[in-house]
Amino acid sequence: MSAKIITVTSGKGGVGKTTAIASLGIALASLGEKVVCVDGDIGLRNLDVIMGLENRIVYDIVDVVEGRCRLRQAMIRDKRVPGLFLIPAAQTRDKNALSPSDMIRLGDELRPEVDWVLIDSPAGIERGFKNSIAAADRVLVLTNPEISAVRDADRVIGILEAEEKGSPELIINRVNYEMVQNGEMLSTEDVLDLLAIKLIGVVPEDKSVLVAANQGMPVSLDNDSRAGQAFRNIAMRLTGKEVPFMDLAEKDGFWDKFSKLAGGN
Amino acid sequence: MSLFKSVFNNEKKSAQSAKERLQLVLTHDRTDITPAQLEALKDELIEVISRHISIEPAAVNINVAREGREQRLVADIPLKVAQRRGK
Ligand SMILES: Nc1ncnc2c1ncn2[C@@H]1O[C@H](COP(=O)(O)OP(=O)(O)O)[C@@H](O)[C@H]1O
Ligand SMILES: [Mg+2]
């Protein structure tokens, strides 16, 4: 095995990176791939709670890098889906506990173990971000259709290009179809026109994301969730399958609720 | 045109404002060229070009245009109407 290392980053905080990593991890593992999700947000550990694995942490990423445990000991197995692991962030250290070269070494150690390494980046464009992208083969920039998130995404894309990381791919998260229709939210086309990179996924705004987070069940485990479906689609695109972009007009509108009430689907 | 329609047409949707504002902000973020620098460049260009050909200084337009992720400096420099070879 030689894993592909994928980093999700955004510049702005709170746009959905951790949600995406957890969901993509579950979705890829459900496709039969072996996956390790790495929380790169040192000091602000979160991926563990979103994945529902917070009670099983013994060692963290800094323990691995500083040699206090072996790699396998820090890989927490997710019992819901075979082949899925988490390496948690250290909570009581800061971003300077790791360097980009530590991350490259960790990446090289992980490559033979799994098919995919998914790295959750912290917000910002400083050390934690640099650490998170250091080992990446592919970077996914995640944004919301919102003015400051798009601006920050553009900065990050500029830095990735300057560092010759290759052109990143774009995930647009939290698209509210009705608001786009009413001219109250940037559309997918608007964001693509502004950022001008390749699109890999569009995820609708969806209440089930918060419900899933409450329960520590990544939203891609929820078969009825539209956001979950969107993340499952992105996972398939990562593996090279061509999956059409979801029709955001479907389901979440009035007619859907109406047809559900009427007993339809 | 009815009053309703004209009001309706004049109303700019907020997403459109967001996009237009982002277009300007991103161009600036990406190039680091300030409007003042662009003005200074324009003045010097007019001076240099005028030494060789006569142009309409007031109509000169210098802009940073976006093309995908690339920015290009676009100069539009109209020549004076009476320009003739050999004067
Ligand atoms: N598609 C979505 N629909 C609704 N809420 C979302 C969506 N994606 C993310 N969220 C919410 O946004 C917040 C931030 O998400 P998170 O993944 O922690 O962002 P980040 O890791 O970028 O800081 C969380 O409350 C999460 O539930
Ligand atoms: Mg996060």
Side-chain angles (χ1 to χ4, degrees):
Chain A
M1 264 185 268
S2 182
K4 291 249 169 8
I5 304 183
I6 311 271
T7 298
V8 176
T9 192
S10 65
K12 189 170 189 286
V15 292
K17 293 177 292 297
T18 302
T19 302
I21 290 285
S23 297
L24 293 175
I26 291 272
L28 281 168
S30 303
L31 294 173
E33 305 280 307
K34 208 169 168 192
V35 186
V36 56
C37 297
V38 178
D39 191 343
D41 202 345
I42 312 297
L44 291 170
R45 177 195 278 174
N46 260 335
L47 186 55
D48 57 335
V49 287
I50 297 301
M51 292 179 77
L53 298 174
E54 70 275 17
N55 292 328
R56 312 230 337 257
I57 297 178
V58 180
Y59 296 109
D60 60 47
I61 187 171
V62 178
D63 292 323
V64 178
V65 167
E66 294 182 349
R68 274 186 299 278
C69 69
R70 282 175 293 109
L71 180 61
R72 300 258 180 122
Q73 291 179 294
M75 290 169 57
I76 302 164
R77 180 188 295 278
D78 188 323
K79 291 171 183 159
R80 291 166 297 201
V81 190
L84 179 62
F85 301 85
L86 164 71
I87 298 180
Q91 183 68 320
T92 53
R93 300 289 294 272
D94 70 23
K95 304 188 192 311
N96 297 316
L98 294 182
S99 69
S101 58
D102 290 331
M103 293 301 287
I104 290 170
R105 262 193 297 120
L106 180 69
D108 288 341
E109 257 190 87
L110 282 169
R111 271 185 213 277
E113 303 286 328
V114 290
D115 301 301
W116 300 88
V117 178
L118 305 181
I119 302 177
D120 186 12
S121 160
I125 50 174
E126 282 133 23
R127 180 69 168 262
F129 158 75
K130 296 261 160 76
N131 285 343
S132 295
I133 62 164
D137 301 312
R138 255 165 110 173
V139 180
L140 311 185
V141 172
L142 187 145
T143 193
N144 297 156
E146 179 260 315
I147 200 158
S148 52
V150 171
R151 184 190 197 177
D152 292 358
D154 190 71
R155 272 286 276 152
V156 164
I157 296 165
I159 295 169
L160 291 166
E161 285 177 338
E163 305 218 335
E164 292 178 353
K165 268 283 161 199
S167 190
E169 293 154 285
L170 184 68
I171 299 176
I172 308 176
N173 184 31
R174 305 194 76 157
V175 176
N176 181 320
Y177 177 77
E178 270 173 39
M179 289 186 76
V180 172
Q181 287 301 300
N182 294 333
E184 293 166 341
M185 180 179 271
L186 292 166
S187 67
T188 300
E189 294 71 32
D190 290 335
V191 177
L192 272 181
D193 179 45
L194 288 159
L195 296 179
I197 59 171
K198 189 173 167 234
L199 185 67
I200 191 167
V202 180
V203 184
E205 169 79 22
D206 187 341
K207 286 180 187 152
S208 64
V209 172
L210 184 62
V211 174
N214 287 340
Q215 299 171 320
M217 300 272 289
V219 72
S220 54
L221 280 171
D222 177 354
N223 279 323
D224 297 327
S225 161
R226 303 272 294 146
Q229 182 63 52
F231 284 120
R232 290 194 294 275
N233 289 350
I234 296 171
M236 287 201 270
R237 290 185 198 113
L238 282 173
T239 66
K241 290 203 185 62
E242 286 208 18
V243 185
F245 287 96
M246 209 160 94
D247 182 2
L248 295 182
E250 266 174 38
K251 272 195 168 178
D252 51 5
F254 165 78
W255 285 110
D256 174 50
K257 283 175 200 134
F258 180 80
S259 71
K260 264 193 191 141
L261 280 177
N265 191 20
Chain B
M1 192 192 284
S2 75
L3 179 64
F4 171 76
K5 205 168 175 192
S6 76
V7 167
F8 184 78
N9 280 347
N10 286 338
E11 177 192 37
K12 190 192 278 177
K13 297 290 186 172
S14 71
Q16 189 57 31
S17 315
K19 188 173 183 190
E20 287 167 11
R21 292 172 60 217
L22 270 166
Q23 280 167 335
L24 292 176
V25 168
L26 295 193
T27 303
H28 181 245
D29 285 355
R30 287 176 190 175
T31 54
D32 239 2
I33 303 174
T34 65
Q37 276 177 306
L38 214 53
E39 261 323 286
L41 174 66
K42 180 169 143 184
D43 291 345
E44 278 187 57
L45 264 179
I46 289 174
E47 198 190 305
V48 172
I49 294 172
S50 300
R51 261 187 253 144
H52 302 272
I53 353 177
S54 52
I55 57 173
E56 298 276 8
V60 171
N61 201 349
I62 303 229
N63 256 312
V64 180
R66 266 180 345 122
E67 245 184 66
R69 293 205 57 80
E70 302 209 327
Q71 316 291 307
R72 69 188 52 213
L73 192 63
V74 178
D76 181 15
I77 305 170
L79 302 181
K80 270 234 168 79
V81 192
Q83 266 282 309
R84 290 255 160 71
R85 195 186 279 248
K87 303 234 161 73

